[in-house]
Amino acid sequence: MALLDAQTLSRLQGVKLRARAVMEGVLSGLHKSPHQGQSVEFAEHKEYAPGDELRHLDWKAYGKFDKYYIKRFEHETNLRSVMVVDASASMGYRSGALSKLEVSTILAGALCYLLVRQQDAAGLAVMVGEAFKDVPPRASAGHLNVLLDALEHTQPQGTTNLASAADHLAEVLPRRSTVIVLSDLLDEREDALKRILALRQRKNDVVLFHVVDPAELTFPFDDPTLFLDMEGDARIEVNPREIKESYLEEFGAFLASVKAACAEADVDYELVRTDERLDEVLLRFLARRGRRR
Amino acid sequence: MTFGNPWMLLGALGALIPLLVHLFDRRRPRPHPFGPMAFVLRSQKRTASRLKLKRLLLYALRTLILLAIPVALARPELRRDAAASAVAKGPAATAVVLDASLSMRWADGTSLFERGRDEARDALKDLQADEPSTVLVCTSAPAAPPPPGFDRARLRAIIDEARPTYGTADLSRCMELAARALEENPTPGKRLVLVSDMTAAAFRLESPPPTVKDPTGKRVRPEVVLRDAAEGREALPNHSLVELKVEPALQAGPRAFQFTFTVKNQSPEAVKDVEAAVRVGEAALAKGFVDVPANGTAQKSLTVRFPQGGTVEGAVTLAPDALPEDDQRSFVLPVPRALKALVINGAPHATRYRDEAFFVEAALTAPGSPVEVSMRDMDAGLRENYAAYDLVLLLNVPAPSAEDAERLAAFVTAGGGLFVSMGDRVDPDSYNSRLGALLPRALRLVRTSVEREDPEAETKSAKLAKVEVEHPLFSPFTGRAEEGLVGARFYRYMLLEADNPAATGASQVLATYEDGAPAVAVARRGKGRVGLFTSTVDRDWSDFAIRTSFLPLMQRFAAYLTGSLEEREEQRVRVGETVTLRPEGGQVIAAVRAPDGTELAVKAQQDGSVVAGPLLEPGLYAVLGAEGKPLQALDFAVMLDPVESDLTRLPSDTLTAYFGEETVKASSGDAERPKVPLWTWLIVAACAAFFFEGTLLRK
């Protein structure tokens, strides 16, 4: 498990290795989880009614009770998931071992592993500025390499445009898909987050991984600093100690507003710090999903 | 403003450091690409105005710290500013006049004199090094001060050793003496520094202000610095005992006295329930309370009955105030002692009220009387040993034999008292031949104004017309008490010769009838006294014996003739005066012991009296005879001058006008000066600035 901290992951070369390490960590953690079996499982019996499929008739029950019963199952169909990775310039910020983008790609890769392993379809949409790099969802084992290659070659650039991403996904995604967004949400446009959350209204299951750097949370700067905007030309010279209190208030309010908006839109929200163990992030996420079901 | 360490002011340049740091410390900030720039920008915008104010405050506080510390170390003093301006024209010979009068003893925790000494020390400290100076401690008898010099230690010692007196101080005179001393110094500038409570009584504003000679010989006013020991107070509240009168209170007994004292309140507010008491030693014999209106006076009387005779020494006291010295006054009081009287009855009678001595005996043995009476008839009485008695009364006694007359004369000369009253048995010629030298005046003949049985006796009888109420014998018979005397009717009385050429001392007629004939005559014979009553002491020749005045008059006769009624005038000696003492008989006065225990030498005078003093302390003075033997009868009390109890202050305008507005350079007082040196406030300010700077930085 010591392999999975940020420092160790940063030493592993490539998303494939990193995502696999995280995925294996998750799988070993799942044995302890009460949510065993991600595949199709028996749920209950139902008395036969005309129109029910005969292949689900439980002949053993008929032998015992002399009545026709139909077996009912959960998740009778395969899951269709798309990882939406924000690759804007601000995602390249790092104060520790991994940048926000690296954390996002590792998480996305690990999730792809998990999905393909249980025969679910996994796809990818990488936001690079205004452009998108799409990999349609498929459930084949060979598709995993395509996904991981796409993540491997992602570099931070351009500005964050969540609204544009939302519009694009609305076009390409079939209904009732699972959309997993990994972003720092640093988009100052007024309705950017709302547009993403609106995907939920199209019967999609939306999950938001909010990736933040610890320095963004604690603002640990002391000396006078010239802050440069990573997605624009803005720059400002300040004494960080003088504005720290105000910054923390502002950022805290931002996090709270995002969390509140997700709760209101029935979207799963997960705050991810780039310095925490990613297998624990995924286990925490899966556990919450299990409770929801 | 002056500075104790002016070179420390160079450190004030350090106050420029924050400005220089602000101007030149332009360190390049570290560039840092950052994602959530929007939050940084918003935070900067939100806090910009507050940060600007904070930076300004920090700059101000740091400048204040760096400025206050070196200025404080330079020890600035505003107080010295006045003195500095006074000496700005150049050095001046200075004389410090320190008021040491009684009023400077006024204290509200610290006495004015203590404050005055501090002011005098400060005055010396404020002088420049090249200014010669001298000190004059102003008392009731000031001595010329030493010439101005540079021995400051000696002057400080004079101030340290100075003590407040109990007397007055003539500040005008002291200022004049100080000005004379300044003239002896060649320094062109002259300065008088007056340290006083500025009470009006200490100045003689009608006299010209002090002057000194300038280099041309012209008289000019010196510079005057007024240092107010009372620190600018408008009033110095004080009540005092200004007058004390002690009189016998016969109605309360032979040894009863009424103490009447006047209390003066010299404050703008009335005082109530001031405790007043008559004390002997630690015991309070009488107590009372007195209310005194604002700036007014009130009288209070307390009656004290002394248990035994003799000289009593005590004090009348008021509840002490800020000036306790004037709240008491000592007294020395001769209280009548027990007397033995021999009454020789010349006309005894079986019926008591017709007996010659009946009324006299009743009067002398009345309750409370100090007289112990022995009654004798003529034969037995004239054979008595007179030395066993203080007083002999001859009541209608025929002229004694020559031998008895000689014994009587010897008795009187040795200090005994003799009372003689007339009657049918008194033969003028026999009396004149045997007792002529003893009697105040020779007897002439009996005069009958009217027969007692006469129906018109009421109107035709003689009455007393003139009574010497100033004399101790008759002093109580004033006002309504006089009616008891003038109402008495005299049917017959002895006329006296106009003069007694045989007598060595002059006689004194104390009461006369309407026709001018003497009714009472007294004379001193040797150490004793003789009293002559020209009518009878029973009802044969007058009805005086049944009058209300008879009893007290007979008792006073007994006291007066035995010397118990003090004829000697009370010694009214004030602090600063001398006292003249007259020894009696063979008494020798060796010394006088002051209240503080010191013995004062006395100076013999040609007339036999001795002089002691000047007496510098109020209270009881004991007179010592040969070998230190106390002569208590001569003891006396010294009182304060009531003038010094008047603490009315002169307004500064008046003083300035008196000394000359152009010469009074600094009218200083602690009220006008900072009580705490300025540098301590600067340190406090620096500490406060340091604290706030730290607090601001933490925010």
Side-chain angles (χ1 to χ4, degrees):
Chain A
M1 297 293 280
L3 282 170
L4 301 177
D5 60 52
Q7 291 288 339
T8 311
L9 282 178
S10 67
R11 288 191 212 114
L12 296 176
Q13 290 297 315
V15 175
K16 283 181 185 174
L17 278 178
R18 291 171 177 176
R20 186 176 182 83
V22 172
M23 186 271 293
E24 285 174 353
V26 171
L27 286 180
S28 63
L30 282 177
H31 290 294
K32 298 174 190 171
S33 167
H35 306 284
Q36 293 188 15
Q38 304 277 317
S39 60
V40 179
E41 288 182 5
F42 169 75
E44 60 184 354
H45 279 105
K46 171 185 170 291
E47 207 164 342
Y48 172 76
D52 288 341
E53 285 199 38
L54 289 178
R55 64 185 177 121
H56 290 149
L57 259 175
D58 189 343
W59 298 108
K60 287 182 180 174
Y62 177 72
K64 281 184 184 175
F65 306 110
D66 201 21
K67 281 187 178 177
Y68 297 111
Y69 287 98
I70 296 294
K71 288 170 85 172
R72 301 192 70 175
F73 300 90
E74 291 181 352
H75 298 294
E76 291 184 359
T77 58
N78 282 341
L79 204 61
R80 196 165 44 236
S81 302
V82 175
M83 312 293 137
V84 182
V85 177
D86 177 7
S88 62
S90 65
M91 290 292 284
Y93 181 74
R94 79 174 76 202
S95 65
L98 296 172
S99 71
K100 289 188 281 186
L101 181 60
E102 286 171 326
V103 167
S104 299
T105 53
I106 293 168
L107 280 175
L111 284 168
C112 288
Y113 263 115
L114 287 172
L115 289 167
V116 171
R117 188 173 170 275
Q118 60 188 25
Q119 286 87 44
D120 286 331
L124 187 65
V126 180
M127 298 184 282
V128 185
E130 298 290 328
F132 293 92
K133 190 160 66 178
D134 291 322
V135 179
R138 290 214 175 87
S140 64
H143 185 60
L144 183 61
N145 280 333
V146 179
L147 292 172
L148 295 176
D149 282 341
L151 289 171
E152 184 79 63
H153 295 101
T154 302
Q155 293 296 324
Q157 56 183 298
T159 59
T160 309
N161 193 339
L162 294 176
S164 166
D167 293 343
H168 174 74
L169 289 171
E171 283 177 18
V172 301
L173 268 184
R175 292 170 73 93
R176 295 184 183 278
S177 296
T178 297
V179 181
I180 299 173
V181 180
L182 298 107
S183 170
D184 57 8
L185 303 178
L186 295 179
D187 188 344
E188 283 297 298
R189 293 176 187 83
E190 197 172 312
D191 59 346
L193 181 62
K194 280 184 185 172
R195 299 278 287 275
I196 285 287
L197 298 180
L199 292 172
R200 181 75 179 96
Q201 293 168 357
R202 296 168 57 89
K203 305 293 183 187
N204 293 312
D205 186 8
V206 180
V207 177
L208 179 58
F209 283 93
H210 190 180
V211 185
V212 294
D213 192 277
E216 293 171 344
L217 282 173
T218 57
F219 208 65
F221 312 104
D222 287 324
D223 298 327
T225 306
L226 177 63
F227 286 102
L228 307 173
D229 191 357
M230 297 179 77
E231 296 184 4
D233 299 328
R235 54 174 53 205
I236 184 168
E237 181 187 337
V238 294
N239 186 341
R241 281 183 300 186
E242 292 176 345
I243 65 162
K244 180 175 182 175
E245 192 180 346
S246 174
Y247 170 87
L248 293 179
E249 272 179 28
E250 292 272 348
F251 201 76
F254 164 66
L255 292 179
S257 70
V258 171
K259 196 170 180 180
C262 290
E264 190 181 348
D266 194 21
V267 168
D268 281 352
Y269 173 82
E270 196 66 43
L271 180 69
V272 182
R273 288 171 60 114
T274 58
D275 61 344
E276 66 182 323
R277 290 166 58 113
L278 298 182
D279 57 334
E280 285 183 1
V281 172
L282 287 179
L283 281 172
R284 192 168 66 224
F285 163 67
L286 293 175
R288 186 181 299 154
R289 295 282 291 184
R291 280 199 298 275
R292 279 193 68 182
R293 280 195 299 172
Chain B
M1 182 186 295
T2 58
F3 294 91
N5 305 316
W7 51 272
M8 277 286 183
L9 288 174
L10 288 174
L13 293 173
L16 295 173
I17 292 174
L19 180 66
L20 297 176
V21 167
H22 176 73
L23 291 176
F24 299 108
D25 182 33
R26 310 299 292 178
R27 281 183 298 173
R28 295 176 66 84
R30 189 168 57 88
H32 187 85
F34 197 57
M37 269 298 281
F39 300 102
V40 177
L41 289 168
R42 276 207 293 275
S43 301
Q44 168 72 6
K45 196 174 176 183
R46 258 179 66 181
T47 55
S49 56
R50 187 165 59 85
L51 288 175
K52 196 172 177 182
L53 179 65
K54 181 180 167 182
R55 283 199 195 104
L56 202 64
L57 273 174
L58 279 174
Y59 174 75
L61 289 171
R62 285 165 181 164
T63 305
L64 176 62
I65 293 168
L66 293 170
L67 190 63
I69 290 174
V71 174
L73 291 175
R75 297 180 68 87
E77 287 188 14
L78 278 178
R79 189 161 57 85
R80 294 188 174 184
D81 191 36
S85 67
V87 300
K89 294 185 300 185
T94 302
V96 179
V97 178
L98 174 60
D99 183 357
S101 61
L102 170 69
S103 61
M104 293 288 281
R105 287 177 177 265
W106 190 93
D108 58 349
T110 306
S111 72
L112 297 183
F113 191 76
E114 282 302 320
R115 292 200 180 101
R117 280 209 297 209
D118 290 343
E119 290 283 352
R121 292 185 192 109
D122 287 349
L124 286 183
K125 202 165 69 179
D126 289 346
L127 295 178
Q128 302 292 313
D130 56 350
E131 290 183 317
S133 54
T134 185
V135 169
L136 169 62
V137 178
C138 189
T139 62
S140 54
F150 294 96
D151 189 355
R152 300 273 167 86
R154 189 169 67 95
L155 298 181
R156 275 195 292 273
I158 292 175
I159 293 170
D160 292 344
E161 289 164 9
R163 295 288 177 271
T165 66
Y166 293 94
T168 57
D170 183 350
L171 288 176
S172 298
R173 166 82 180 136
C174 292
M175 296 283 273
E176 194 60 41
L177 283 173
R180 293 287 83 74
L182 291 182
E183 284 179 352
E184 296 173 21
N185 192 280
T187 310
K190 312 286 184 195
R191 181 190 301 125
L192 288 172
V193 179
L194 176 59
V195 183
S196 169
D197 53 8
M198 313 294 173
T199 53
F203 291 92
R204 282 184 288 110
L205 297 184
E206 69 279 6
S207 63
T211 55
V212 292
K213 280 184 189 167
D214 69 359
T216 63
K218 189 181 165 191
R219 300 209 73 83
V220 294
R221 291 182 178 186
E223 187 180 306
V224 176
V225 179
L226 301 177
R227 285 180 174 262
D228 185 3
E231 299 174 341
R233 287 180 175 82
E234 284 191 13
L236 300 171
N238 181 41
H239 63 252
S240 60
L241 193 59
V242 292
E243 185 59 53
L244 172 64
K245 195 173 177 185
V246 186
E247 297 169 303
L250 292 176
Q251 68 279 9
R255 287 189 285 272
F257 288 85
Q258 179 171 282
F259 292 77
T260 304
F261 44 87
T262 306
V263 182
K264 191 169 184 183
N265 177 17
Q266 277 119 350
S267 57
E269 290 180 8
V271 291
K272 289 187 177 294
D273 297 331
V274 178
E275 187 191 88
V278 178
R279 297 175 190 276
V280 173
E282 294 297 318
L285 303 184
K287 263 187 186 177
F289 295 91
V290 59
D291 295 344
V292 196
N295 295 313
T297 58
Q299 276 199 331
K300 180 75 181 174
S301 293
L302 294 173
T303 301
V304 177
R305 186 183 295 169
F306 293 98
Q308 58 191 28
T311 301
V312 175
E313 296 176 349
V316 174
T317 62
L318 296 177
D321 59 1
L323 185 61
E325 286 80 5
D326 64 1
D327 297 330
Q328 64 174 331
R329 183 172 289 197
S330 302
F331 63 83
V332 177
L333 186 66
V335 177
R337 52 189 166 79
L339 300 174
K340 293 185 78 174
L342 173 64
V343 177
I344 302 176
N345 187 348
H349 199 280
T351 308
R352 278 182 56 76
Y353 68 87
R354 299 189 69 178
D355 189 280
E356 186 73 33
F358 172 71
F359 293 102
V360 170
E361 184 187 12
L364 295 183
T365 57
S369 169
V371 184
E372 184 186 323
V373 175
S374 297
M375 297 293 296
R376 302 284 187 274
D377 61 14
M378 190 187 79
D379 293 336
L382 290 175
R383 286 199 300 274
E384 278 282 337
N385 176 18
Y386 303 136
Y389 298 95
D390 298 301
L391 173 67
V392 174
L393 297 97
L394 301 178
L395 309 182
N396 192 13
V397 175
S401 65
E403 184 189 350
D404 292 336
E406 272 183 32
R407 288 204 300 124
L408 271 176
F411 164 70
V412 171
T413 308
L418 177 64
F419 175 83
V420 182
S421 66
M422 301 294 104
D424 297 330
R425 298 194 173 193
V426 173
D427 174 40
D429 293 336
S430 305
Y431 257 77
N432 288 340
S433 65
R434 292 174 193 165
L435 293 174
L438 209 54
L439 292 175
R441 288 191 183 186
L443 311 183
R444 191 152 53 123
L445 56 90
V446 175
R447 175 173 183 177
T448 303
S449 55
V450 66
E451 290 298 333
R452 195 171 67 173
E453 294 76 19
D454 191 320
E456 294 183 350
E458 183 73 19
T459 55
K460 290 184 177 176
S461 59
K463 294 186 177 63
L464 292 178
K466 189 180 174 188
V467 177
E468 296 289 339
V469 291
E470 303 296 323
H471 192 274
L473 190 62
F474 285 101
S475 60
F477 299 99
T478 54
R480 293 183 66 182
E482 195 178 4
E483 292 172 11
L485 280 178
V486 298
R489 296 179 189 83
F490 295 88
Y491 313 112
R492 194 173 291 175
Y493 48 88
M494 183 70 73
L495 294 175
L496 304 181
E497 294 295 344
D499 195 13
N500 182 11
T504 53
S507 67
Q508 198 175 0
V509 174
L510 301 180
T512 59
Y513 301 106
E514 290 160 325
D515 59 359
V520 174
V522 294
R524 185 181 279 269
R525 298 287 180 256
K527 290 182 183 175
R529 294 183 180 125
V530 180
L532 177 59
F533 182 56
T534 58
S535 190
T536 61
V537 289
D538 65 356
R539 298 184 63 189
D540 288 350
W541 287 11
S542 82
D543 68 352
F544 180 51
I546 60 170
R547 296 286 173 176
T548 55
S549 54
F550 182 76
L551 185 146
L553 182 63
M554 286 313 296
Q555 289 191 350
R556 286 192 77 79
F557 254 124
Y560 171 69
L561 294 176
T562 55
S564 300
L565 260 190
E566 189 50 56
E567 206 176 14
R568 175 167 66 100
E569 277 190 16
E570 184 194 350
Q571 292 273 18
R572 297 182 72 85
V573 189
R574 284 183 177 168
V575 166
E577 295 177 348
T578 58
V579 64
T580 302
L581 301 169
R582 299 183 188 285
E584 293 185 357
Q587 286 178 333
V588 176
I589 298 176
V592 169
R593 185 185 292 142
D596 64 356
T598 57
E599 288 191 7
L600 309 175
V602 295
K603 200 184 214 178
Q605 303 294 302
Q606 284 185 345
D607 61 355
S609 63
V610 297
V611 173
L615 308 166
L616 303 176
E617 192 181 354
L620 289 169
Y621 283 72
V623 179
L624 305 177
E627 299 174 357
K629 184 182 169 189
L631 303 173
Q632 200 179 17
L634 292 176
D635 287 356
F636 60 93
V638 174
M639 58 189 180
L640 296 170
D641 189 342
V643 169
E644 273 297 299
S645 297
D646 184 359
L647 304 184
T648 308
R649 282 162 52 78
L650 275 181
S652 58
D653 296 350
T654 308
L655 283 172
T656 306
Y658 174 66
F659 288 112
E661 288 185 9
E662 69 282 8
T663 58
V664 177
K665 295 294 182 191
S667 182
S668 66
D670 279 352
E672 298 166 24
R673 292 176 299 148
K675 288 188 176 181
V676 181
L678 192 56
W679 64 273
T680 55
W681 289 111
L682 286 168
I683 292 291
V684 169
C687 290
F690 193 73
F691 172 76
F692 286 120
E693 196 255 359
T695 308
L696 272 177
L697 274 181
R698 276 193 294 275
K699 288 216 169 197

